[in-house]
Amino acid sequence: MTDEAPQLRASDADRERVAEILRDALAEGRLDMEEFEERLEATYKARTYGDLTPITRDLPAGAAPAVSLRKAPVDRGGWGSRIVGGEGSSTWAVAVMSGFQRKGTWTAPRRFTCVALLGGGEIDLREANFADHEIEINCVAVMGGVNVIVPPGVEVVMRGIGVMGGFDHREEGTGPDPAAPRVIVTGFAFWGGVQVEHKVTRAERRRLKEERRQEQLDRRSSRRELNESRRDRRDNH
């Protein structure tokens, strides 16, 4: 860990990992109740990794939460299994006064071409596989629009041209994951638009929501235990 790491802000999950070490130490008799209460209170007040480090330094598994100050090109989110090579399962789409969708489990080709004329289309890559590490989506929108949805971590590069229309650059370069594919959006928009947005799937959104809910319940439970132990000590005195 570098000299900068102790100054990094600790997350709720980091504090919960330290609190779990303290609970184990209390159950094993390594800490008495008074020491447990003092350290648990310090844990929930901790703001940085430097604040957390001394709390469990003398306990088994006691270490500051692991932190990496450099983004390594690891295969997070299963990207390696989603870059499958070969040909795409669909290479083009057309919407004339209508609409089209590509979503769910499908293989995005190295180059996908779509046309929206007085209509609209949606290209959803959140559950898609990729034929290569870099794919191109060529969009032609004439008095219509195309919406491209990519999962978090995917780098987006916008290279389209708009005439009385446009390509939305707000999501370009947003938090790329080195292991994730790169999506280049090209094409032409006339009185129309092409928009790209980063979104998680509904299942992933539910999972993250449940994780946050469980963390909140764990924190409330720990604080309730701490308050109850303090109340018991006051009653005994």
Side-chain angles (χ1 to χ4, degrees), residues 13 45 80 159 178 196 224:
K45 288 182 178 179
R159 295 179 180 168
V196 179
R224 186 165 55 249

Side-chain angles (χ1 to χ4, degrees), residues 7-225:
Q7 304 306 317
L8 293 180
R9 303 287 290 188
S11 68
D12 288 339
D14 296 326
R15 285 183 279 271
E16 281 304 318
R17 282 194 289 271
V18 173
E20 188 62 32
I21 294 174
L22 295 178
R23 294 188 194 100
D24 291 342
L26 177 65
E28 294 167 357
R30 301 179 191 274
L31 296 176
D32 60 30
M33 182 58 71
E34 184 174 357
E35 290 175 311
F36 171 75
E37 291 174 356
E38 290 175 354
R39 296 194 190 197
L40 189 63
E41 185 173 10
T43 297
Y44 287 119
K45 288 182 178 179
R47 292 291 175 264
T48 66
Y49 287 108
D51 295 335
L52 288 174
T53 300
I55 296 174
T56 58
R57 182 173 284 156
D58 58 346
L59 299 174
V67 57
S68 174
L69 298 178
R70 183 181 56 188
K71 199 169 187 180
V74 295
D75 182 20
R76 296 186 310 178
W79 288 118
S81 63
R82 294 179 62 178
I83 301 173
V84 297
E87 300 296 327
S89 55
S90 176
T91 59
W92 62 275
V94 176
V96 179
M97 300 180 66
S98 61
F100 70 81
Q101 278 189 331
R102 296 294 184 272
K103 62 188 301 185
T105 304
W106 65 294
T107 300
R110 291 176 177 83
R111 180 180 171 88
F112 183 90
T113 300
C114 61
V115 177
L117 174 61
L118 291 170
E122 179 181 87
I123 303 169
D124 191 338
L125 300 174
R126 288 178 292 177
E127 298 178 14
N129 294 319
F130 296 80
D132 205 343
H133 288 274
E134 181 175 287
I135 69 169
E136 178 183 342
I137 299 177
N138 182 45
C139 304
V140 177
V142 179
M143 291 184 285
V146 178
N147 187 36
V148 181
I149 304 173
V150 299
V154 170
E155 181 182 4
V156 175
V157 178
M158 304 293 284
R159 295 179 180 168
I161 299 172
V163 177
M164 290 185 288
F167 283 70
D168 188 349
H169 288 255
R170 286 178 296 178
E171 295 290 314
E172 187 172 16
T174 302
D177 184 329
R182 187 184 194 208
V183 176
I184 300 174
V185 181
T186 63
F188 177 74
F190 177 70
W191 281 7
V194 177
Q195 174 181 330
V196 179
E197 55 183 332
H198 286 86
K199 290 175 64 175
V200 298
T201 62
R202 290 183 180 179
E204 180 68 7
R205 189 160 58 244
R206 286 195 296 268
R207 186 187 68 79
L208 293 173
K209 184 177 180 180
E210 178 60 27
E211 283 185 357
R212 289 193 294 268
R213 189 185 71 84
Q214 188 59 50
E215 287 178 0
Q216 291 174 352
L217 290 175
D218 291 342
R219 287 198 300 273
R220 290 172 186 169
S221 177
S222 296
R223 287 166 182 159
R224 186 165 55 249
E225 290 175 6

